[in-house]
Amino acid sequence: MTVLTLVIFLPLAAALALLAVPRPGHRAVLAVWIAATAADLALVAAMWARHGTSGTGRIAFETNARWIPSVGAGYHVGVDGLSLPLLALTALLFAACAVYSLRQTYRIRAFAVLFLFLETVCLGLFAALDLLLFFVFFDLSIVGMYAVILLWGHGDRARSALKFFLYTFLGSLILLLGFIGLYLGADPHTFDMAELIRRPPLEGSPGLAGLTLLAIGTGLAIKTPVVPFHTWLPPAHTDAPAAGSAILAGVMLKMGTYGLVRIAMPMLPDAWRRYAWVPLAVGLLSVLYGALVALAQENLKRLVAYTSVNHMGYIVLALGAAGYASGDAAARRLAVTGAVTQMVSHGLVTGALFLLCGVLYDRGRSYDLGRYGGLARGAPVFAALTAVAAFASLGLPGLSGFIAEFQIFTGAIGGGSTPAAVAAAVSVLGILITAALFLRVLHRAVLGEPGELTGRVTDVRRPELAAVVPLLALSLAIGVAPRPLLDTIEPVSAAVVALVAR
């Protein structure tokens, strides 16, 4: 067993251990949950340290075992500079959610088991190097999050959970059609990602390649989500528990954009170049629409949910800009690096924002901005953390969002493509709108006059502080010293751009 397989299945083993004990105590469940996530985070950190010494442009910690040989599918996992940052983000966010849930009392064993199961699923997806294995983890993530929203959510949780499941399950079925297209177009037939990248299928069939890209792109766009496939996201976030929202936004939305970089771009390079204007346009629309609709929200959690549509739009825009192969290759590599950096930054910052929304709901049982005000007086630490998270989300220099968005804009504008440059220039308006909406939140809820629920809001407790501070501290660390992260991502970005341009 390789260390990567241990990382993937350690949380599931802990979940099975909790289920095997007839009636574990509340403290025992939490201890096992936190210990498992902490051990997994330590193992991922050790993998990063070891992989960093040997270069990040190759697959490491690889396992390739026979699974379904009749269709060329195997248990093939490994990490490189694209998957390693997302594995680390996943392990960190799940550990933060375990600590944040120390005060959870309702059906705590089932809650912990579901989150441990989801951690294995998410880690497995980011490590998968086989399309069928990727699809299995992709589908299982839908089932796990559906249960979290349905059983521990609030508001109209049944409707929101059902909408989430039906939308994303439909996306997974469309995605499967695309994977079957790649399998049938390969010679010999295989689901192995390395083989499909080495010898891209359907290169002599532009029509079939376009249809396959449409299926894969649509399935991943629903998961991301981008406009117009975003409508499941706001209700799912609003009615999910805080820890569920943090995982949904911080980890599971990245499955869509990760799939674009890992699967769509290198396996269908001709089609991606031919239709690069589509992700470019969809990304721009998502940036502007997400920011404008967020500006109109009175519900804080829906506001943060729509900013996720905005931020994921920047990633899709950057990947579309990288598809214009006639431009400067260095700029296009910068755009892809910025897109991956944005995945990490969004996971850290939006995960922290949703946990802070959970703090507010825990005290006041409402997300209505109009019912709060002057929180800085009674909850100064909460106010300070909210301000830092808001500034990180709007891309303030010194924080991770600035590093990601600077690379995206520079890469898209400097790539030599007029459509990409125009789209990037217009999308800068999204930053202005995002700044306006977060300043509005800070003015009304943190610095404004006291509202009817202000008196109920006490400051953050130790578990909440221990969960949120590491996320924001890492955002600050990336904003100040991004080199370790960028050195990890850049070799894979260069490889992806070269594959698209070949």
Side-chain angles (χ1 to χ4, degrees), residues 430-448:
I431 295 181
L432 182 64
I433 300 169
T434 304
L437 68 91
F438 274 117
L439 290 175
R440 170 174 163 267
V441 169
L442 294 176
H443 175 72
R444 292 185 62 184
V446 176
L447 302 174

Side-chain angles (χ1 to χ4, degrees), residues 363-429:
R363 312 300 197 266
R365 293 297 167 184
S366 175
Y367 298 116
D368 189 352
L369 286 171
R371 305 180 71 184
Y372 297 98
L375 294 176
R377 297 184 184 92
V381 177
F382 171 82
L385 293 174
T386 303
V388 172
F391 287 131
S393 187
L394 62 85
L396 190 74
L399 294 161
S400 57
F402 173 78
I403 300 297
E405 290 168 3
F406 174 80
Q407 291 180 103
I408 289 171
F409 294 139
T410 304
I413 295 173
S417 165
T418 301
V422 171
V426 174
S427 70
V428 172
L429 292 173

Side-chain angles (χ1 to χ4, degrees), residues 450-463:
E452 60 177 292
L453 297 179
T454 301
R456 299 185 187 180
V457 182
T458 58
D459 218 341
V460 290
R461 303 183 178 99
R462 288 182 181 178

Side-chain angles (χ1 to χ4, degrees), residues 105-164:
T105 56
Y106 176 66
R107 302 180 68 175
I108 183 61
R109 177 166 69 164
F111 193 71
V113 166
L114 263 177
F115 270 80
L116 288 166
F117 166 77
L118 271 173
E119 183 170 7
T120 284
V121 168
C122 295
L123 291 168
L125 182 138
F126 292 129
L129 293 176
D130 181 275
L131 290 179
L132 203 55
L133 187 65
F134 180 99
F135 177 78
V136 169
F137 287 127
F138 191 91
D139 248 14
L140 290 176
S141 70
I142 299 171
V143 176
M145 187 52 64
Y146 168 77
V148 169
I149 298 171
L150 180 65
L151 298 177
W152 288 273
H154 41 260
D156 196 359
R157 58 186 181 182
R159 180 183 177 87
S160 298
L162 181 62
K163 190 173 184 179
F164 160 78

Side-chain angles (χ1 to χ4, degrees), residues 40-432:
D40 229 32
L41 179 59
L43 287 171
V44 173
M47 285 171 55
W48 192 317
R50 182 178 170 187
H51 191 234
T53 62
S54 58
T56 53
R58 63 177 184 84
I59 299 295
F61 306 104
E62 189 172 10
T63 299
N64 192 355
R66 291 167 64 87
W67 179 31
I68 312 176
S70 59
V71 296
Y75 173 74
H76 191 187
V77 295
V79 298
D80 59 6
L82 173 59
S83 54
L84 193 55
L86 295 174
L87 287 172
L89 173 67
T90 300
L92 177 61
L93 275 173
F94 273 98
C97 288
V99 173
Y100 180 87
S101 302
L102 278 171
R103 292 175 55 84
Q104 175 76 28
T105 56
Y106 176 66
R107 302 180 68 175
I108 183 61
R109 177 166 69 164
F111 193 71
V113 166
L114 263 177
F115 270 80
L116 288 166
F117 166 77
L118 271 173
E119 183 170 7
T120 284
V121 168
C122 295
L123 291 168
L125 182 138
F126 292 129
L129 293 176
D130 181 275
L131 290 179
L132 203 55
L133 187 65
F134 180 99
F135 177 78
V136 169
F137 287 127
F138 191 91
D139 248 14
L140 290 176
S141 70
I142 299 171
V143 176
M145 187 52 64
Y146 168 77
V148 169
I149 298 171
L150 180 65
L151 298 177
W152 288 273
H154 41 260
D156 196 359
R157 58 186 181 182
R159 180 183 177 87
S160 298
L162 181 62
K163 190 173 184 179
F164 160 78
F165 184 88
L166 292 178
Y167 253 91
T168 51
F169 187 66
L170 173 63
S172 74
L173 294 178
I174 298 171
L175 181 66
L176 180 61
L177 291 176
F179 286 176
I180 292 172
L182 290 175
Y183 170 80
L184 295 176
D187 186 19
H189 298 326
T190 182
F191 285 106
D192 189 87
M193 291 187 186
E195 289 298 320
L196 291 169
I197 291 172
R198 189 176 298 115
R199 290 181 291 182
L202 303 171
E203 284 199 317
S205 305
L208 291 175
L211 289 174
T212 303
L213 179 60
L214 176 63
I216 292 173
T218 302
L220 296 174
I222 292 173
K223 188 75 167 184
T224 298
V226 292
V227 177
F229 306 112
H230 68 287
T231 54
W232 64 265
L233 182 68
H237 273 313
T238 302
D239 296 333
S245 291
I247 296 303
L248 180 58
V251 178
M252 291 178 62
L253 299 191
K254 311 307 175 297
M255 294 177 178
T257 50
Y258 172 81
L260 293 176
V261 183
R262 175 66 75 195
I263 299 168
M265 294 179 72
M267 296 182 194
L268 296 164
D270 290 342
W272 189 267
R273 286 197 308 271
R274 190 177 304 111
Y275 299 106
W277 62 272
V278 176
L280 192 70
V282 169
L284 176 60
L285 179 61
S286 300
V287 165
L288 298 179
Y289 180 87
L292 286 170
V293 177
L295 183 61
Q297 298 304 309
E298 289 295 321
N299 183 300
L300 179 60
K301 217 178 184 190
R302 286 183 72 90
L303 182 151
V304 177
Y306 275 109
T307 63
S308 290
V309 177
N310 165 267
H311 286 117
M312 303 311 285
Y314 285 118
I315 298 172
V316 176
L317 184 150
L319 299 179
Y324 286 86
S326 59
D328 180 14
R332 289 184 286 116
R333 289 196 297 270
L334 190 63
V336 175
T337 302
V340 180
T341 306
Q342 178 77 326
M343 295 184 209
V344 176
S345 174
H346 177 265
L348 295 171
V349 175
T350 307
L353 279 170
F354 276 121
L355 293 180
L356 290 168
C357 288
V359 172
L360 200 63
Y361 186 83
D362 178 69
R363 312 300 197 266
R365 293 297 167 184
S366 175
Y367 298 116
D368 189 352
L369 286 171
R371 305 180 71 184
Y372 297 98
L375 294 176
R377 297 184 184 92
V381 177
F382 171 82
L385 293 174
T386 303
V388 172
F391 287 131
S393 187
L394 62 85
L396 190 74
L399 294 161
S400 57
F402 173 78
I403 300 297
E405 290 168 3
F406 174 80
Q407 291 180 103
I408 289 171
F409 294 139
T410 304
I413 295 173
S417 165
T418 301
V422 171
V426 174
S427 70
V428 172
L429 292 173
I431 295 181
L432 182 64

